[in-house]
Amino acid sequence: CIRKTIPKLQIILLGSRSVGKTSVGNTILGIMEQEDGRRTAQSVARHGFVGKTEITLVDTPGWWKSLRAFDTLEAIKEEVMRSMFLCPPGPHVFLLVIDADASFKAKHLDAVTTHMELLGEGVWRHTVVVFTRGDWLGPNTIEQYIEGEGEAIQSLVEQCGNRYHVIDNKKADETQITELLEKITWTVAGNGWSHFFPDEKIFLTIEEKTRRVEEGARLRQSQVKAKRKSLRGTVQSSSINVTSK
Ligand SMILES: Nc1nc2c(ncn2[C@@H]2O[C@H](COP(=O)(O)OP(=O)(O)OP(=O)(O)O)[C@@H](O)[C@H]2O)c(=O)[nH]1
Ligand SMILES: [Mg+2]
């Protein structure tokens, strides 16, 4: 048992679409009224407390469950990567959210792995798998689900050093969050109490892309304006022609 508590914790929620990332965030922050089914399109940081621990929690958009990162929209990938810079100096843990009511096969593992690796090589040491929809397990334990679901999920859990936790976002039950926080604390302790160091190069690349996109938008806008102006000029001159006749 670890007695030490962390005064400040930076956490990033990751996972494929609709697995319950935003809901896990709400459950951690103790927000019960949940807006159902609103898709997260951008990474956002939220703040709150769990006990005495001050938490910065970054929610991210999800990727399609069966798509490898190569096939995911650039905009989604950039948002996922940007999440690391929304909780400076870096996240202590990544919570990789998986829905425990669905199947998890090799193609899903491929999707998870390729997306996680967008963040850098060291992510796995900082990752805890969070299974959602614990309410769908019925009498089964999460271990039975992992066992029964097969190789893909087992190797994912192993890749994350067997760090996992199951949550039912529909239940107001504080112990599931206290236990999650304990597992997070073990993870952080296991990493020498240090956070993950995001690669500055990724940040610069995203910044550069955003700058270019904005510049392109500005250019297009000024072209449209110029065109409108010249059109107005033609209309005016033609109306002068009309009135002078
Ligand atoms: N029964 C049950 N439903 C859940 C649970 N967690 C989330 N849901 C439901 O699953 C749906 C998707 O949840 P979200 O939290 O929006 O999922 P998300 O991963 O943030 O989705 P995107 O932002 O679109 O990628 C919502 O209708 C939630 O109410 C759970 O533990 N149990
Ligand atoms: Mg969401």
Side-chain angles (χ1 to χ4, degrees):
C1 170
I2 294 169
R3 295 247 168 258
K4 188 165 169 181
T5 54
I6 308 172
K8 262 188 175 182
L9 204 52
Q10 288 97 246
I11 302 173
I12 297 182
L13 291 156
L14 294 170
S16 63
R17 273 191 178 203
S18 302
V19 286
K21 299 177 293 301
T22 303
S23 305
V24 169
N26 287 338
T27 308
I28 291 175
L29 296 176
I31 302 164
M32 265 326 274
E33 65 332 326
Q34 314 212 339
E35 296 169 47
D36 247 32
R38 184 171 297 178
R39 183 180 314 143
T40 308
Q42 281 176 324
S43 291
V44 279
R46 292 194 288 167
H47 304 274
F49 278 86
V50 174
K52 287 196 173 125
T53 305
E54 186 182 344
I55 302 218
T56 300
L57 194 61
V58 184
D59 194 7
T60 61
W63 56 82
W64 286 107
K65 197 174 174 179
S66 304
L67 281 193
R68 309 186 76 223
F70 182 81
D71 298 313
T72 296
L73 278 178
E74 282 301 320
I76 302 281
K77 282 188 274 198
E78 278 169 27
E79 282 304 304
V80 169
M81 291 188 277
R82 207 164 63 83
S83 68
M84 302 189 283
F85 306 99
L86 293 177
C87 51
H92 292 96
V93 284
F94 300 93
L95 298 182
L96 174 58
V97 183
I98 307 278
D99 43 350
D101 64 333
S103 72
F104 192 93
K105 302 295 175 213
K107 61 180 176 191
H108 307 127
L109 177 62
D110 223 17
V112 165
T113 310
T114 50
H115 284 93
M116 292 292 286
E117 286 175 355
L118 292 173
L119 305 173
E121 281 172 26
V123 282
W124 300 108
R125 286 194 298 132
H126 294 266
T127 303
V128 177
V129 180
V130 172
F131 292 101
T132 52
R133 309 216 167 94
D135 45 329
W136 282 85
L137 287 173
N140 297 332
T141 62
I142 191 64
E143 286 74 21
Q144 281 169 319
Y145 168 80
I146 296 168
E147 187 70 24
E149 201 38 52
E151 225 172 87
I153 195 70
Q154 287 158 16
S155 79
L156 178 67
V157 168
E158 243 164 65
Q159 172 84 287
C160 300
N162 280 309
R163 295 177 293 270
Y164 62 87
H165 187 64
V166 63
I167 279 193
D168 170 3
N169 286 308
K170 298 287 176 190
K171 198 161 100 188
D173 167 17
E174 269 180 41
T175 57
Q176 56 178 355
I177 296 306
T178 332
E179 282 172 17
L180 173 62
L181 210 71
E182 256 170 42
K183 289 179 188 172
I184 290 175
T185 309
W186 294 338
T187 310
V188 183
N191 287 315
W193 302 98
S194 176
H195 59 81
F196 174 82
F197 288 84
D199 185 350
E200 280 299 312
K201 266 187 267 157
I202 297 180
F203 182 68
L204 295 177
T205 313
I206 302 172
E207 283 283 276
E208 171 66 16
K209 271 191 190 160
T210 313
R211 205 180 52 74
R212 255 186 282 151
V213 169
E214 278 169 0
E215 217 165 66
R218 254 201 307 278
L219 189 67
R220 270 194 304 281
Q221 215 170 23
S222 61
Q223 279 168 346
V224 169
K225 256 190 203 154
K227 202 167 185 183
R228 244 190 245 137
K229 213 171 177 180
S230 75
L231 271 179
R232 217 181 292 137
T234 341
V235 173
Q236 267 167 3
S237 56
S238 58
S239 62
I240 290 167
N241 285 345
V242 172
T243 46
S244 64
K245 268 186 191 166

